[in-house]
């Protein structure tokens, strides 16, 4: 079961692109040609050479909560 919480109204022109990218430049390409927001795992925000550019691009972060029963 997936629970999603949102704030505000959804953008009717929003797009979702799922890309299994092979390099670090792929998200920058998508940003340059489409009105998209990249998604990244939360751990990337703390990387020295990756975190600052991600913050500048207003990346949407996600984290995975692993439950082992």
């Amino acid at each position: 079961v997936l629970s999603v919480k949102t704030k505000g109204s959804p953008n009717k022109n929003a797009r979702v692109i799922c890309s299994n990218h092979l390099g670090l430049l792929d998200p920058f390409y998508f940003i340059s040609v489409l009105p998209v927001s990249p998604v990244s795992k939360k751990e990337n925000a703390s990387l020295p050479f990756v975190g600052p550019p991600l913050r500048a691009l207003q990346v949407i972060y996600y984290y995975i909560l692993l439950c082992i029963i």
Side-chain angles (χ1 to χ4, degrees):
V1 175
L2 179 65
S3 176
V4 178
K5 294 181 181 179
T6 62
K7 291 183 180 180
S9 301
N11 182 343
K12 300 210 184 312
N13 297 318
R15 301 173 185 187
V16 175
I17 298 174
C18 297
S19 172
N20 186 9
H21 60 89
L22 300 175
L24 292 174
L25 298 178
D26 296 358
F28 295 99
Y29 168 75
F30 286 122
I31 291 169
S32 70
V33 297
L34 296 170
V36 297
S37 293
V39 177
S40 178
K41 44 185 192 176
K42 182 75 173 156
E43 295 84 3
N44 289 340
S46 61
L47 296 174
F49 295 105
V50 177
L54 292 181
R55 284 189 289 280
L57 295 172
Q58 299 180 349
V59 168
I60 299 168
Y61 294 105
Y62 70 89
Y63 66 93
I64 298 173
L65 179 63
L66 181 61
C67 296
I68 301 174
I69 300 176

